[in-house]
Amino acid sequence: MQVWVIWLIAAGILGVGEMHQGGFYLAPFALGAAIAAIVSLLGAGAAVSAVVFVAASAIVFATLRPLARRHRQLPPSIRTGAAALIGRPAIVLERIANDEGVGCVRIGGEVWTARSYDDDEVFDAGERVEVVEIRGATALVMH
């Protein structure tokens, strides 16, 4: 059997192994074996094709693996709805006093009922606060 056929079989086995494994570990070696098969088919000896296999696999592994890892990472979770309001600034529209049960803030363009995160803290109209939690339809705020 000729050397290029052995390299081609090795490339096929490594490629199939990569499809079943999915961690992008075998693909660089499959590509290296395919390149070694081409070099061997062009007339290079077994030793030269082995060196080409090692070099090509190392180059492909070093360049494509970091790229593949970057693409496999999940994007940060996107907060939507009421959870997106946490940490946002708000302006007190109506005095916030938990013991009186009153309070209202504007968060972005929306008006929300509000309570102080700290029960003893009172905020007057016009003050800037930060939303720390949303409970139902009420924003809990603090300085």
Side-chain angles (χ1 to χ4, degrees):
M1 186 178 296
Q2 294 188 8
V3 176
W4 69 270
V5 174
I6 296 171
W7 283 117
L8 199 57
I9 291 170
I13 291 171
L14 290 166
V16 170
E18 175 63 34
M19 285 189 273
H20 290 288
Q21 187 258 353
F24 203 72
Y25 290 103
L26 297 177
F29 299 108
L31 194 55
I35 293 170
I38 293 169
V39 169
S40 180
L41 185 63
L42 293 175
V48 173
S49 57
V51 169
V52 167
F53 167 73
V54 171
S57 297
I59 290 169
V60 171
F61 193 81
T63 56
L64 292 183
R65 176 120 173 98
L67 183 70
R69 288 185 68 184
R70 215 174 314 132
H71 285 287
R72 286 187 58 173
Q73 292 178 347
L74 296 176
S77 61
I78 298 172
R79 294 188 306 172
T80 59
L85 300 175
I86 296 172
R88 295 205 36 206
I91 297 176
V92 178
L93 299 177
E94 178 186 316
R95 182 173 182 262
I96 298 173
N98 289 6
D99 57 341
E100 298 171 19
V102 296
C104 180
V105 294
R106 176 172 293 142
I107 308 169
E110 299 177 342
V111 177
W112 283 72
T113 56
R115 297 294 177 262
S116 174
Y117 189 72
D118 181 11
D119 283 333
D120 299 328
E121 198 166 10
V122 176
F123 300 107
D124 292 318
E127 287 188 59
R128 294 190 181 276
V129 292
E130 181 180 329
V131 178
V132 291
E133 188 178 335
I134 301 289
R135 284 191 192 153
T138 302
L140 299 179
V141 298
M142 63 185 286
H143 275 291

mmCIF file of all heavy atoms in Angstrom, residues 118-140:
data_model
loop_
_atom_site.group_PDB
_atom_site.id
_atom_site.type_symbol
_atom_site.label_atom_id
_atom_site.label_comp_id
_atom_site.label_asym_id
_atom_site.label_seq_id
_atom_site.Cartn_x
_atom_site.Cartn_y
_atom_site.Cartn_z
ATOM 1 N N ASP A 118 -33.920 50.419 52.059
ATOM 2 C CA ASP A 118 -33.737 50.526 53.518
ATOM 3 C C ASP A 118 -35.008 51.145 54.086
ATOM 4 O O ASP A 118 -35.360 52.272 53.756
ATOM 5 C CB ASP A 118 -32.512 51.390 53.825
ATOM 6 C CG ASP A 118 -32.243 51.525 55.304
ATOM 7 O OD1 ASP A 118 -32.857 50.791 56.100
ATOM 8 O OD2 ASP A 118 -31.416 52.380 55.669
ATOM 9 N N ASP A 119 -35.719 50.425 54.942
ATOM 10 C CA ASP A 119 -37.021 50.881 55.437
ATOM 11 C C ASP A 119 -36.992 52.262 56.078
ATOM 12 O O ASP A 119 -37.981 52.981 56.041
ATOM 13 C CB ASP A 119 -37.593 49.868 56.439
ATOM 14 C CG ASP A 119 -38.165 48.645 55.748
ATOM 15 O OD1 ASP A 119 -38.587 48.782 54.588
ATOM 16 O OD2 ASP A 119 -38.163 47.561 56.361
ATOM 17 N N ASP A 120 -35.890 52.651 56.676
ATOM 18 C CA ASP A 120 -35.832 53.922 57.403
ATOM 19 C C ASP A 120 -35.468 55.111 56.512
ATOM 20 O O ASP A 120 -35.572 56.250 56.940
ATOM 21 C CB ASP A 120 -34.808 53.829 58.548
ATOM 22 C CG ASP A 120 -35.198 52.752 59.555
ATOM 23 O OD1 ASP A 120 -36.409 52.533 59.742
ATOM 24 O OD2 ASP A 120 -34.283 52.123 60.140
ATOM 25 N N GLU A 121 -35.042 54.865 55.298
ATOM 26 C CA GLU A 121 -34.574 55.947 54.432
ATOM 27 C C GLU A 121 -35.756 56.567 53.680
ATOM 28 O O GLU A 121 -36.630 55.877 53.172
ATOM 29 C CB GLU A 121 -33.545 55.406 53.440
ATOM 30 C CG GLU A 121 -32.707 56.483 52.808
ATOM 31 C CD GLU A 121 -31.479 55.914 52.108
ATOM 32 O OE1 GLU A 121 -31.381 54.682 51.957
ATOM 33 O OE2 GLU A 121 -30.633 56.718 51.717
ATOM 34 N N VAL A 122 -35.773 57.901 53.632
ATOM 35 C CA VAL A 122 -36.823 58.650 52.943
ATOM 36 C C VAL A 122 -36.171 59.458 51.822
ATOM 37 O O VAL A 122 -35.122 60.078 52.023
ATOM 38 C CB VAL A 122 -37.559 59.597 53.929
ATOM 39 C CG1 VAL A 122 -38.578 60.448 53.193
ATOM 40 C CG2 VAL A 122 -38.225 58.788 55.028
ATOM 41 N N PHE A 123 -36.812 59.467 50.648
ATOM 42 C CA PHE A 123 -36.304 60.222 49.505
ATOM 43 C C PHE A 123 -37.345 61.270 49.114
ATOM 44 O O PHE A 123 -38.531 60.969 49.027
ATOM 45 C CB PHE A 123 -36.052 59.306 48.301
ATOM 46 C CG PHE A 123 -35.051 58.217 48.571
ATOM 47 C CD1 PHE A 123 -35.459 56.903 48.720
ATOM 48 C CD2 PHE A 123 -33.698 58.507 48.669
ATOM 49 C CE1 PHE A 123 -34.543 55.898 48.960
ATOM 50 C CE2 PHE A 123 -32.776 57.505 48.900
ATOM 51 C CZ PHE A 123 -33.200 56.203 49.057
ATOM 52 N N ASP A 124 -36.888 62.481 48.865
ATOM 53 C CA ASP A 124 -37.779 63.556 48.447
ATOM 54 C C ASP A 124 -37.845 63.624 46.931
ATOM 55 O O ASP A 124 -36.939 63.164 46.217
ATOM 56 C CB ASP A 124 -37.290 64.896 49.007
ATOM 57 C CG ASP A 124 -37.438 64.953 50.524
ATOM 58 O OD1 ASP A 124 -38.482 64.498 51.021
ATOM 59 O OD2 ASP A 124 -36.505 65.424 51.196
ATOM 60 N N ALA A 125 -38.892 64.244 46.423
ATOM 61 C CA ALA A 125 -39.080 64.403 44.978
ATOM 62 C C ALA A 125 -37.884 65.131 44.376
ATOM 63 O O ALA A 125 -37.347 66.071 44.960
ATOM 64 C CB ALA A 125 -40.369 65.162 44.699
ATOM 65 N N GLY A 126 -37.435 64.656 43.236
ATOM 66 C CA GLY A 126 -36.312 65.274 42.541
ATOM 67 C C GLY A 126 -34.976 64.610 42.805
ATOM 68 O O GLY A 126 -34.004 64.851 42.080
ATOM 69 N N GLU A 127 -34.880 63.779 43.831
ATOM 70 C CA GLU A 127 -33.616 63.105 44.134
ATOM 71 C C GLU A 127 -33.344 62.009 43.116
ATOM 72 O O GLU A 127 -34.253 61.409 42.557
ATOM 73 C CB GLU A 127 -33.653 62.481 45.536
ATOM 74 C CG GLU A 127 -33.565 63.474 46.663
ATOM 75 C CD GLU A 127 -33.404 62.778 48.002
ATOM 76 O OE1 GLU A 127 -32.411 62.025 48.158
ATOM 77 O OE2 GLU A 127 -34.263 62.985 48.873
ATOM 78 N N ARG A 128 -32.051 61.749 42.889
ATOM 79 C CA ARG A 128 -31.639 60.655 42.000
ATOM 80 C C ARG A 128 -31.333 59.431 42.865
ATOM 81 O O ARG A 128 -30.632 59.540 43.867
ATOM 82 C CB ARG A 128 -30.402 61.047 41.200
ATOM 83 C CG ARG A 128 -30.678 62.168 40.228
ATOM 84 C CD ARG A 128 -29.503 62.366 39.288
ATOM 85 N NE ARG A 128 -29.743 63.452 38.373
ATOM 86 C CZ ARG A 128 -30.425 63.354 37.240
ATOM 87 N NH1 ARG A 128 -30.933 62.189 36.893
ATOM 88 N NH2 ARG A 128 -30.612 64.390 36.459
ATOM 89 N N VAL A 129 -31.870 58.310 42.444
ATOM 90 C CA VAL A 129 -31.679 57.054 43.169
ATOM 91 C C VAL A 129 -31.300 55.967 42.162
ATOM 92 O O VAL A 129 -31.303 56.194 40.951
ATOM 93 C CB VAL A 129 -32.961 56.658 43.940
ATOM 94 C CG1 VAL A 129 -33.233 57.613 45.077
ATOM 95 C CG2 VAL A 129 -34.159 56.568 42.998
ATOM 96 N N GLU A 130 -30.995 54.787 42.682
ATOM 97 C CA GLU A 130 -30.652 53.649 41.836
ATOM 98 C C GLU A 130 -31.573 52.492 42.175
ATOM 99 O O GLU A 130 -31.839 52.209 43.344
ATOM 100 C CB GLU A 130 -29.199 53.243 42.072
ATOM 101 C CG GLU A 130 -28.759 52.084 41.214
ATOM 102 C CD GLU A 130 -27.311 51.701 41.474
ATOM 103 O OE1 GLU A 130 -26.499 52.566 41.819
ATOM 104 O OE2 GLU A 130 -27.009 50.502 41.329
ATOM 105 N N VAL A 131 -32.041 51.805 41.161
ATOM 106 C CA VAL A 131 -32.923 50.643 41.342
ATOM 107 C C VAL A 131 -32.048 49.453 41.757
ATOM 108 O O VAL A 131 -31.087 49.111 41.086
ATOM 109 C CB VAL A 131 -33.675 50.306 40.041
ATOM 110 C CG1 VAL A 131 -34.548 49.075 40.233
ATOM 111 C CG2 VAL A 131 -34.500 51.495 39.576
ATOM 112 N N VAL A 132 -32.373 48.839 42.895
ATOM 113 C CA VAL A 132 -31.597 47.692 43.371
ATOM 114 C C VAL A 132 -32.369 46.378 43.281
ATOM 115 O O VAL A 132 -31.766 45.310 43.279
ATOM 116 C CB VAL A 132 -31.086 47.895 44.819
ATOM 117 C CG1 VAL A 132 -30.039 48.976 44.860
ATOM 118 C CG2 VAL A 132 -32.211 48.190 45.764
ATOM 119 N N GLU A 133 -33.703 46.482 43.176
ATOM 120 C CA GLU A 133 -34.498 45.266 43.102
ATOM 121 C C GLU A 133 -35.880 45.621 42.581
ATOM 122 O O GLU A 133 -36.354 46.741 42.770
ATOM 123 C CB GLU A 133 -34.614 44.631 44.491
ATOM 124 C CG GLU A 133 -35.261 43.273 44.509
ATOM 125 C CD GLU A 133 -35.296 42.671 45.922
ATOM 126 O OE1 GLU A 133 -34.458 43.029 46.767
ATOM 127 O OE2 GLU A 133 -36.181 41.824 46.148
ATOM 128 N N ILE A 134 -36.523 44.667 41.916
ATOM 129 C CA ILE A 134 -37.907 44.829 41.482
ATOM 130 C C ILE A 134 -38.719 43.729 42.169
ATOM 131 O O ILE A 134 -38.401 42.555 42.062
ATOM 132 C CB ILE A 134 -38.050 44.693 39.947
ATOM 133 C CG1 ILE A 134 -37.211 45.724 39.213
ATOM 134 C CG2 ILE A 134 -39.517 44.773 39.533
ATOM 135 C CD1 ILE A 134 -37.701 47.143 39.316
ATOM 136 N N ARG A 135 -39.743 44.149 42.890
ATOM 137 C CA ARG A 135 -40.644 43.191 43.535
ATOM 138 C C ARG A 135 -42.038 43.433 42.988
ATOM 139 O O ARG A 135 -42.683 44.427 43.318
ATOM 140 C CB ARG A 135 -40.661 43.381 45.060
ATOM 141 C CG ARG A 135 -39.453 42.842 45.736
ATOM 142 C CD ARG A 135 -39.628 42.808 47.234
ATOM 143 N NE ARG A 135 -38.347 42.556 47.870
ATOM 144 C CZ ARG A 135 -38.038 42.961 49.092
ATOM 145 N NH1 ARG A 135 -38.910 43.639 49.804
ATOM 146 N NH2 ARG A 135 -36.846 42.683 49.591
ATOM 147 N N GLY A 136 -42.480 42.533 42.138
ATOM 148 C CA GLY A 136 -43.772 42.711 41.486
ATOM 149 C C GLY A 136 -43.734 43.934 40.588
ATOM 150 O O GLY A 136 -42.959 44.004 39.658
ATOM 151 N N ALA A 137 -44.578 44.939 40.918
ATOM 152 C CA ALA A 137 -44.609 46.183 40.145
ATOM 153 C C ALA A 137 -44.008 47.329 40.936
ATOM 154 O O ALA A 137 -44.281 48.487 40.664
ATOM 155 C CB ALA A 137 -46.038 46.494 39.751
ATOM 156 N N THR A 138 -43.187 47.018 41.924
ATOM 157 C CA THR A 138 -42.583 48.037 42.769
ATOM 158 C C THR A 138 -41.061 47.980 42.667
ATOM 159 O O THR A 138 -40.467 46.910 42.783
ATOM 160 C CB THR A 138 -42.994 47.829 44.248
ATOM 161 O OG1 THR A 138 -44.424 47.860 44.329
ATOM 162 C CG2 THR A 138 -42.428 48.906 45.137
ATOM 163 N N ALA A 139 -40.467 49.150 42.470
ATOM 164 C CA ALA A 139 -39.016 49.258 42.391
ATOM 165 C C ALA A 139 -38.468 49.588 43.769
ATOM 166 O O ALA A 139 -38.939 50.519 44.416
ATOM 167 C CB ALA A 139 -38.606 50.327 41.403
ATOM 168 N N LEU A 140 -37.497 48.818 44.234
ATOM 169 C CA LEU A 140 -36.817 49.127 45.491
ATOM 170 C C LEU A 140 -35.571 49.917 45.120
ATOM 171 O O LEU A 140 -34.772 49.486 44.291
ATOM 172 C CB LEU A 140 -36.447 47.855 46.241
ATOM 173 C CG LEU A 140 -37.636 46.968 46.650
ATOM 174 C CD1 LEU A 140 -37.139 45.731 47.362
ATOM 175 C CD2 LEU A 140 -38.589 47.742 47.522
#
